[in-house]
Amino acid sequence: MTTTPITYLDGADVARICAELPVVDIVHDTLLAFARDEAGLAPEAALRWTTPGGDSARSLVLPGWAAGSYGCKIINASLGNHRSGLPRAAGLIVLNDPETARPMCLMEGARISALRTAGVSVAAVRAVRAPGGITQVAFLGCGRQAEVHLELLAEACPALSEVTLYDQDSARAQECAASWRGARPDLTFRVAGHARDAVERAQLTVAVTTTTEPYVELDWVPAGAAFVNVSLDDAAESLLLGCDRLFVDNWELVVADDHRLLGVLARAGRVSAPGTEAPEKGRAVDADLPTLLADPAAWPVGTQERVVINPFGMGVHDIAVAAAVHAAAVERGLGLALPR
Amino acid sequence: MTTTPITYLDGADVARICAELPVVDIVHDTLLAFARDEAGLAPEAALRWTTPGGDSARSLVLPGWAAGSYGCKIINASLGNHRSGLPRAAGLIVLNDPETARPMCLMEGARISALRTAGVSVAAVRAVRAPGGITQVAFLGCGRQAEVHLELLAEACPALSEVTLYDQDSARAQECAASWRGARPDLTFRVAGHARDAVERAQLTVAVTTTTEPYVELDWVPAGAAFVNVSLDDAAESLLLGCDRLFVDNWELVVADDHRLLGVLARAGRVSAPGTEAPEKGRAVDADLPTLLADPAAWPVGTQERVVINPFGMGVHDIAVAAAVHAAAVERGLGLALPR
């Protein structure tokens, strides 16, 4: 038994398996399991440094457990990678044997990380809006996260017809639109010259930028629209405080974060926890996603209401998706056997 | 460049390379680098669970940087492993590319983890005692840590002649003595029936148990002896408070820990930080190891003084040793190339 090898799944294996996985459903079920204490997180570790080339780099480690699996996602990024044509982020997921705790499976992690993030957005949107009614979507930021979100949204929203793209780097938005037009001739892609133009036109906006300065104001968002604050610092104070409904994935993660606006507002006593009374001159979060998904009927969202979803990012989803990938790999005999 | 593979080094590769590395010197230099802020740590992450078989299991992730390398050690353990003949702990070290932050090298981690722990003990002992004068050593606990400590101690202490072994499981101590006699016919191995018998006889005792209840009292330790509290909960209050010299590897790690006695005493205001005034009815730590090693002459230890060394365990050493292993593997062309 000491010689049981470790299974290694590279990016191609992971992508091939993920293409056949119901990621949104896995993420949905994991949020419900989290609410029942059948899945969980431990606080993450973060190592930050300046690269020899002078760029900011970091390695985050998110431990979690779900579906009887225990492990962590390591997700790293260097801000200088785009100069050498590399993706900003790269990752690795480690699954441990539940009985012996020994590392059991290592797999490429960036694909799963992006997929589960998009999966959470779609699962949340499905709970507050009829996906069949969504025809116009906007993306703020045109990187990998936008691409993966589009994959899952196009599947979840059969009536989707128009996608508006905005990126601070307008050439990037143009390139992205050109490439996506080729891949998805059924959809119309527009490039917006200003973020506001994109948001104002969409029933659903997904923010997937790298900004650290909030800029999307309440009056940009049309009545009845949803705004998914994936990159966490796009929604401005007016939007976070003024939207009709505010949902987060996990309040503890939001509050523990020193940097992002919602955490700052929470610490300043202007936004309070889900299910608590709103502070004077502030608001409460309506619910966290596990609570919302467990009983969406308890959180009716009016058709004219503006909804903000703030998904901080829970490592538990990486483990849940990775566990499904590992199970599929075992079934199909995929992966490389690494000697211990 | 996106296709640069990841190097994987299995346990055999790591052991082969480590056998030729000056581990004590690497650890020594890393402690000095730490004092100069040229190596560092980030807070660790910990995931704990109960296995399907009902045993306690955990996965710790220790991020660190040293010698221009950035990464983490994942070190896991399940208390039921001995029943299936497996080592309690298993691990993996991940080194990231300093420029791109992408995972660059994965290697078996338990060997390095045990080696760097023993390396810190030996580096600390060398700073407070002339290693050439050490003839009698005792081990409390007869597992892998004891074995690796003996490897490094035998090399560092050329006059070593007698090793006393104690284990709560007396059969284990007997087996261990029999096996070590075969491997090291130059040394005499004794098995002690009680921990006190082992400690009383030795100039140097290394505690490498799994206890959570302190039991080694001050009056067990002979004048002029050193006690290395590797497993952190062997030294009792009388020993921690009453020994003549008390050194720790890192005070922040000691204080941040809720469970171990020295952290508990620190929080209770009975032991204060290195270089501070001793509290009433308590004591100060004499120095941390980086400070001690930077200038051992500033911390003269009398020949009759009792010294306790409390090495909490710093992930920075795992990264430093792993970086040396990786460099040697690259030079010799060792390891498996994993597609990304």
Side-chain angles (χ1 to χ4, degrees), chain B residues 98-186:
Chain B
E99 187 59 50
T100 68
R102 302 199 304 168
M104 165 176 85
C105 183
L106 312 177
M107 66 183 81
E108 194 278 320
R111 173 81 190 153
I112 289 174
S113 188
L115 265 176
R116 65 83 162 156
T117 301
V120 170
S121 297
V122 175
V125 167
R126 284 198 314 201
V128 296
R129 289 286 171 232
I134 295 176
T135 57
Q136 293 185 300
V137 168
F139 290 103
L140 304 178
C142 293
R144 185 175 193 167
Q145 285 284 358
E147 195 173 344
V148 178
H149 268 80
L150 179 63
E151 280 177 40
L152 298 195
L153 277 170
E155 208 176 304
C157 307
L160 180 64
S161 61
E162 188 184 277
V163 177
T164 305
L165 303 176
Y166 170 76
D167 198 292
Q168 222 177 351
D169 175 351
S170 60
R172 185 168 194 176
Q174 293 290 358
E175 276 166 38
C176 188
S179 138
W180 291 6
R181 274 180 202 118
R184 312 235 22 150
D186 53 322

Side-chain angles (χ1 to χ4, degrees), chain A residues 280-294:
Chain A
E280 220 180 306
K281 296 190 185 169
R283 71 171 301 151
V285 170
D286 287 77
D288 61 23
L289 294 183
T291 308
L292 171 67
L293 296 187

Side-chain angles (χ1 to χ4, degrees), chain A residues 8 49 51 53 76 78 98-99 101 339, chain B residues 8 49 51 53 76 78 98-99 101 339:
Chain A
Y8 177 73
W49 72 94
T51 72
N76 301 346
S78 172
E99 187 59 50
Chain B
Y8 177 73
W49 72 94
T51 72
N76 301 344
S78 172
E99 187 59 50

Side-chain angles (χ1 to χ4, degrees), chain A residues 49-57 77-81 83, chain B residues 70 98-100:
Chain A
W49 72 94
T50 301
T51 72
D55 292 300
S56 293
S78 172
L79 291 184
N81 282 356
R83 285 198 304 276
Chain B
Y70 301 83
E99 187 59 50
T100 68

Side-chain angles (χ1 to χ4, degrees), chain A residues 1-2 6 8-12 40-55 57-59 61 63-65 70-72 74 76-78 80-81 83-92 94 96-103 106 108 336-340, chain B residues 1-2 6 8-12 40-55 57-59 61 63-65 70-72 74 76-78 80-81 83-92 94 96-103 106 108 336-340:
Chain A
M1 186 164 176
T2 49
I6 299 173
Y8 177 73
L9 300 169
D10 65 18
L41 297 170
E44 70 183 47
L47 184 69
R48 295 174 202 282
W49 72 94
T50 301
T51 72
D55 292 300
R58 51 99 174 142
S59 175
V61 184
W65 60 281
Y70 301 82
C72 65
I74 300 173
N76 301 346
S78 172
N81 282 356
R83 285 198 304 276
S84 32
L86 288 176
R88 194 169 63 95
L92 191 73
V94 180
N96 304 314
D97 184 290
E99 187 59 50
T100 68
R102 302 199 304 169
L106 312 177
E108 194 279 320
L336 199 60
L338 303 181
R340 288 190 181 269
Chain B
M1 186 164 175
T2 49
I6 299 173
Y8 177 73
L9 300 169
D10 65 18
L41 297 170
E44 69 183 48
L47 184 68
R48 295 173 203 281
W49 72 94
T50 301
T51 72
D55 292 300
R58 51 98 174 142
S59 175
V61 184
W65 60 281
Y70 301 83
C72 65
I74 300 173
N76 301 344
S78 172
N81 282 356
R83 285 199 303 277
S84 33
L86 287 175
R88 193 169 65 95
L92 191 73
V94 180
N96 304 314
D97 184 290
E99 187 59 50
T100 68
R102 302 199 304 168
L106 312 177
E108 194 278 320
L336 199 61
L338 304 181
R340 287 189 181 271

Side-chain angles (χ1 to χ4, degrees), chain A residues 193-215:
Chain A
H194 188 280
R196 181 171 188 155
D197 300 336
V199 176
E200 280 183 341
R201 193 176 171 108
Q203 294 161 284
L204 168 63
T205 295
V206 180
V208 277
T209 67
T210 56
T211 191
T212 54
E213 286 179 30
Y215 59 96

